[in-house]
Amino acid sequence: MVARQLAAQTVPTAGGNVVSSDKIGAASGVASLGTDSKVPQAQIPTPKITVGITAPSSPAVGDVWIDTN
């Protein structure tokens, strides 16, 4: 195996692809990890939660619907 050095501004991923450091923790980028090895709460989107007996007319990806029937 040949070792190679990456530029300081890149972070390798498990698949071998490289993510630019300016995309880590940025909107439309990739999540970072906190000191506890978890994604910080601020980087987790808040889902829209709908409670009712009928499904929302135009749900979006990530929305949560709770059927109260």
Side-chain angles (χ1 to χ4, degrees):
M1 179 190 285
V2 176
R4 61 184 185 150
Q5 181 153 355
L6 297 173
Q9 74 277 5
T10 59
V11 177
T13 64
N17 296 324
V18 176
V19 177
S20 177
S21 62
D22 64 335
K23 299 292 184 195
I24 300 172
S28 298
V30 297
S32 63
L33 295 177
T35 56
D36 59 357
S37 299
K38 296 179 182 179
V39 175
Q41 184 68 38
Q43 293 179 28
I44 299 174
T46 303
K48 176 183 169 193
I49 298 176
T50 303
V51 177
I53 57 174
T54 58
S57 59
S58 56
V61 173
D63 287 354
V64 177
W65 174 59
I66 301 171
D67 186 349
T68 57
N69 273 338

